[in-house]
Amino acid sequence: MPKPFHLGWFLQGSSVQAWGEPFTGAIGRDWMVPELFCDLARHLERACFDYVLIEDSSYVGESYGGSREIYLKHGLAVPRQDPAITATLMAAATKRIGIVPTFATFTHPPYLLARMMASLDQISSGRAGWNMVTGSSDVAARNYGLPQLPDHDLRYDMADEYMQAVNGLWDSWEPGAIVADEESGVLVDHTKVHAVDFEGKWYRTHGPLNSGPCPQGRPVIAQAGGSPRGRQFAAANADTIVASIKGTAAMKAYRDDVRARAAAAGRDPDHVKLLFLVNPIIAGSRAEAEAKKQARIARAEAQVPQLLAFFGKITNIDFAQYDLDAPVDTLDLRTNGHQQSLDDFKRVAGKKSLREAMLSYRGTSGSVELIGTPDDIAAQMAEAMEEVGGDGFLFSMGDVSRRTIAEVADGLVPALQRRGLTRRAYTYEQFRDNLREF
Ligand SMILES: Cc1cc2nc3c(=O)[nH]c(=O)nc-3n(C[C@H](O)[C@H](O)[C@H](O)COP(=O)(O)O)c2cc1C
């Protein structure tokens, strides 16, 4: 029997999904009331996914040509709601699946974040996760009154301290502090609730947390930092890592590296689950899949500026200044934003032109190409996991609709389950326990 793997879904923010794509209904008007996201969570729960991650950023892009036009015109990560609200509704719509909103350390002081996540963990009965990000845009920093973000590596030093503060707050209620004894009239045993009095270089907080404890003790921590400093941080703090990296050899090297770092930090490497971004092309037959792929390529070719604008948003690079036919290795591309993503882009680009490089990097597939019938793709996923070693996949679909969701939940997942590759039922009630099951 093969070792099963985990499944997650990477939702591109609480935003209009797949604007301009077919089968998206009246998404341009319906997105404000997140029935699609609640349906998504219900369907993925039926398919026994570990979690839905709600990606986020809190600014309107303006790096492409120094203008907001392309972002607004095409709905690139805007309009976008606060994920705390959407996460709450998705939690209320489900019973087992993990719900993982993204919050940045520079947008929420530790106390606010710790209280909000504890509340989400409570109302979901232990299914809350936090996608812990440090931010990547100076435009976002300015929305919060900061002149700019701190430098890349310093952000992670600050994040280490931030984690100490929020962990202190989550630990400020000992297990068993809530007595709720009607006879004696004692609700909370005050000897089991403690101040934190955390005094760091960048953050301070008094505590204890007035929300009370998290059912999971602490929420599940998701992280995506892929640079060496980012990996070090994730290895020390994350329960699950979301990784965007091309090819099974690079995926394996990434996973081996993070696991070694986790062990060096005194953690069990099996407590850190790496999920790799994929964007499968699922169809009823191989011919239909190939036709879908050609359509996807044609769409991507027509959208190169949007793809570059999106990539420029997370790397703070104005790609509009470059000729699309210029070889990438002649451009001076640097970032204080998503460093690892830019490095991976350059690696994939080699000597290709900017247009070709963007198309191979983001145009059609994720970490590995998955294409064909549900059975074909199940076999491809099994093979990739065999080579990489684990731990699972994160679906990042550019064309989210109820139809796409059904292709995954009702087409692909049953094929995975038949092969014993993914679970048929949740074993545990809480999110972290399910993550650690295998
Ligand atoms: C798959 C993936 C998902 C990410 N999701 C978010 C997100 O939702 N919000 C955000 O601000 N940053 C997000 N990031 C950015 C990372 O949290 C991190 O800031 C960025 O990758 C830069 O760190 P690095 O150079 O260590 O990779 C994501 C990165 C990756 C690779």
Side-chain angles (χ1 to χ4, degrees), residues 307-335:
L307 293 171
L308 285 169
F310 195 83
F311 195 51
K313 180 171 179 280
I314 62 171
T315 51
N316 309 309
I317 294 172
D318 176 8
F319 284 104
Q321 67 185 301
Y322 300 122
D323 180 349
L324 288 180
D325 296 316
V328 170
D329 62 359
T330 63
L331 309 177
D332 183 22
L333 302 177
R334 290 174 220 205
T335 185

Side-chain angles (χ1 to χ4, degrees), residues 391-430:
D391 300 290
F393 296 98
L394 193 69
F395 289 80
S396 172
M397 316 288 275
D399 56 350
V400 174
S401 66
R402 287 177 176 83
R403 176 173 161 156
T404 323
I405 297 164
E407 284 174 357
V408 173
D410 299 321
L412 177 56
V413 169
L416 291 168
Q417 290 172 334
R418 277 196 297 275
R419 289 166 182 253
L421 294 169
T422 60
R423 63 164 74 85
R424 282 175 186 271
Y426 294 97
T427 305
Y428 300 101
E429 293 194 357
Q430 294 191 347

Side-chain angles (χ1 to χ4, degrees), residues 10 53-57 102 104 131-136 152 155-156 223-227 229-231 242-244 277 337-341 394:
F10 188 73
L53 187 150
I54 311 166
E55 175 260 349
D56 193 43
S57 59
T102 299
N131 182 30
M132 198 285 182
V133 302
T134 59
S136 47
H152 181 272
R155 292 207 294 276
Y156 283 114
Q223 231 285 317
S227 63
R229 184 64 184 88
R231 290 181 190 196
V242 297
S244 168
L277 288 192
H338 291 211
Q339 260 173 31
Q340 179 263 329
S341 298
L394 193 69

Side-chain angles (χ1 to χ4, degrees), residues 51 222-225 234-235 238-243 254 258 272-276:
Y51 60 86
Q223 231 285 317
D239 297 287
T240 181
I241 295 177
V242 297
Y254 189 159
V258 167
V272 186
K273 306 295 184 193
L274 262 84
L275 269 56
F276 297 95

